[in-house]
Amino acid sequence: MAKILCVLYPDPVTGYPPRYARDAIPVIERYPNGQTTPTPTGALGFKPGELVGCVSGELGLRPYLEAHGHELIVTSDKEGVDSVFDRHLVDADVVISQPFWPAYLTAERIAGAKKLKLALTAGIGSDHVDLKAAAEHGVTVAEVTFSNSISVSEHVVMTALALVRNYLPSHQIADNGGWNIADCVSRSYDIEGMHFGTLGAGRIGLAVLRRMQPFDVKLHYYDPHRLAPEIEQTLGLRFHETPESLVAVCDIVNVQTPLYPSTEGFIDDSFLAQFKRGAYLVNTARGALADRDAIVRALESGQLAGYGGDVWYPQPAPLDHPWRRMPHQGMTPHISGTSLSGQARYAAGTLEILQNFFEGRPIRPEYLIVDGGQLAGTGAVSYKLS
Ligand code: NDP
């Protein structure tokens, strides 16, 4: 019998389960690169479209795990030595966590978790796990690659439009009973004709470029590896050799750079100074890629006309985090990858990984980040240990 410790975000304050806005979600069978969506065996412990990403939803895992004699602990209490997470970590075999409500698996915690064999991310982005420590302790790290990439790309497009068109303050004016059109439009522009660039053109970055193309913008990207010429041609992409070259010409910059020790804090005062004045910056990659206060300074000085996204550091962000109140921002909590549609895929992928793990079948290479003491599968191409 194994002990599975699952850390999920708290239930809705309005109660669980909510009354759903829609009765069903579309069935997606493949991602744009041809990879199939998750294929667990047997019944899912939930109906796709249900809220399974929070504590009471349990990712729908209880029926499968209990039928196989395993113990499932689900909590949102993850901070401090007395947290439910820390109390159960000492003898947990598997930890499941999410980027939205990350249970930080630090080197110290991994060293104390003597039975830990699998750290599973229900979603994408395992930077809340110290991958080097996981490799050293023989812990396999896996995530549900591609499960919510398109969800995030839609959030990026929404945020870019919201910032450029000044949607959020205009909505607020209507909500407050106002009709002052001049106040709404004095910061409102069309996206058409603008230069839009993405730093990082992997699964999400490329999906964003594809979605932006119909807006008749000029598309740019920077990535350590150049995309195939057919893709560049179809989308009319201009490749930049450096991030600096891209930000110097773009009106809207999307950050989809992974968080590594080497990319932490790279969006700082000196980098922001190289942007066009009045550029918009969208970040759904990771909050720690940016120097928190440099973003605030750039918005206050007008160097940035807007900043938006859903990623913060730490998470949940403290009440006094300046990004909650800085001007011209379109921040949300970390939600882009956990729409009800995205949840259905990452919960099914989590079940698939657990079934393979417990039933002695290999985990799909596209889901593996660390295995056998080193980066493996997707981890070997998408992650760095330093
Ligand atoms: P991918 O691995 O598919 O793409 C990342 C791309 O970034 C790769 O093409 C990689 O290049 C490139 N890259 C690597 N280093 C740099 C660098 N220093 N500067 C610019 N680009 C770089 O990842 P995804 O597109 O799936 O996800 C991107 C990030 O988005 C994730 O790392 C994660 O942090 C975040 N994310 C956020 C979510 C949310 O809910 N907000 C959900 C899912 C992911 P190459 O591989 O060619 O070296």
Side-chain angles (χ1 to χ4, degrees):
M1 186 185 97
K3 177 169 176 175
I4 294 95
L5 174 57
C6 185
V7 182
L8 301 174
Y9 48 80
D11 283 4
V13 289
T14 47
Y16 179 92
R19 184 157 174 262
Y20 295 102
R22 297 179 54 79
D23 298 327
I25 58 169
V27 177
I28 310 286
E29 287 172 352
R30 284 184 189 276
Y31 302 117
N33 69 349
Q35 180 189 318
T36 55
T37 48
T39 49
T41 54
L44 286 174
F46 63 95
K47 179 173 170 262
E50 287 178 349
L51 178 64
V52 287
C54 63
V55 171
S56 293
E58 299 185 327
L59 301 173
L61 296 174
R62 193 169 291 280
Y64 168 78
L65 290 173
E66 289 192 345
H68 289 76
H70 302 304
E71 182 190 5
L72 175 65
I73 310 283
V74 186
T75 183
S76 61
D77 182 18
K78 67 185 181 77
E79 304 297 345
V81 281
D82 232 8
S83 64
V84 175
F85 173 56
D86 268 310
R87 274 191 275 128
H88 284 282
L89 184 61
V90 282
D91 62 348
D93 298 275
V94 177
V95 166
I96 302 171
S97 180
Q98 301 166 299
F100 324 108
W101 188 264
Y104 294 104
L105 267 178
T106 58
E108 192 189 355
R109 279 182 165 138
I110 289 174
K114 301 286 181 217
K115 293 179 71 184
L116 187 63
K117 294 171 207 66
L118 176 64
L120 210 170
T121 302
I124 304 176
S126 297
D127 46 84
H128 59 282
V129 180
D130 187 316
L131 298 180
K132 197 159 169 277
E136 283 165 7
H137 287 80
V139 175
T140 295
V141 182
E143 62 184 45
V144 192
T145 305
F146 234 133
S147 57
N148 56 16
S149 308
I150 301 303
S151 324
V152 178
S153 71
E154 291 185 3
H155 195 98
V156 172
V157 175
M158 173 189 77
T159 306
L161 281 165
L163 292 176
V164 175
R165 301 203 57 89
N166 206 33
Y167 169 68
L168 291 167
S170 305
H171 172 70
Q172 202 59 58
I173 284 173
D175 206 39
N176 292 343
W179 195 259
N180 196 328
I181 293 169
D183 286 292
C184 299
V185 300
S186 56
R187 292 187 69 89
S188 174
Y189 299 88
D190 291 351
I191 272 192
E192 182 184 20
M194 284 189 171
H195 289 257
F196 179 98
T198 186
L199 300 175
R203 283 173 291 270
I204 301 173
L206 179 56
V208 169
L209 291 169
R210 289 192 201 283
R211 280 158 181 71
M212 289 305 298
Q213 189 197 25
F215 285 100
D216 288 332
V217 290
K218 295 165 184 82
L219 294 174
H220 302 250
Y221 79 101
Y222 161 76
D223 193 283
H225 297 105
R226 205 161 168 170
L227 292 166
E230 312 84 75
I231 299 180
E232 287 193 355
Q233 223 165 24
T234 310
L235 296 176
L237 301 180
R238 180 172 155 206
F239 171 70
H240 291 261
E241 301 277 350
T242 64
E244 289 76 13
S245 147
L246 181 144
V247 300
V249 297
C250 283
D251 303 289
I252 309 166
V253 176
N254 172 51
V255 182
Q256 224 66 66
T257 310
L259 176 65
Y260 309 129
S262 59
T263 55
E264 194 174 332
F266 86 95
I267 307 169
D268 57 11
D269 288 308
S270 68
F271 186 59
L272 288 164
Q274 299 177 65
F275 280 52
K276 280 169 87 167
R277 192 194 81 85
Y280 302 87
L281 180 56
V282 180
N283 178 6
T284 56
R286 285 294 177 260
L289 292 166
D291 172 338
R292 187 193 72 174
D293 298 333
I295 297 293
V296 180
R297 283 190 287 273
L299 288 166
E300 286 174 350
S301 72
Q303 176 60 10
L304 285 181
Y307 181 90
D310 70 330
V311 286
W312 311 63
Y313 187 79
Q315 290 190 176
L319 268 182
D320 62 354
H321 196 296
W323 289 7
R324 289 185 187 272
R325 270 167 283 276
M326 63 191 179
H328 316 308
Q329 50 91 5
M331 293 301 297
T332 65
H334 194 161
I335 58 162
S336 69
T338 187
S339 57
L340 294 176
S341 324
Q343 285 174 44
R345 289 186 294 273
Y346 71 65
T350 302
L351 178 60
E352 177 189 327
I353 292 169
L354 287 173
Q355 287 175 337
N356 289 342
F357 179 74
F358 286 124
E359 295 169 27
R361 292 188 298 270
I363 295 170
R364 291 195 211 193
E366 58 256 38
Y367 292 161
L368 283 176
I369 305 303
V370 168
D371 197 33
Q374 57 189 354
L375 290 173
T378 289
V381 285
S382 295
Y383 281 83
K384 289 190 183 121
L385 292 181
S386 57

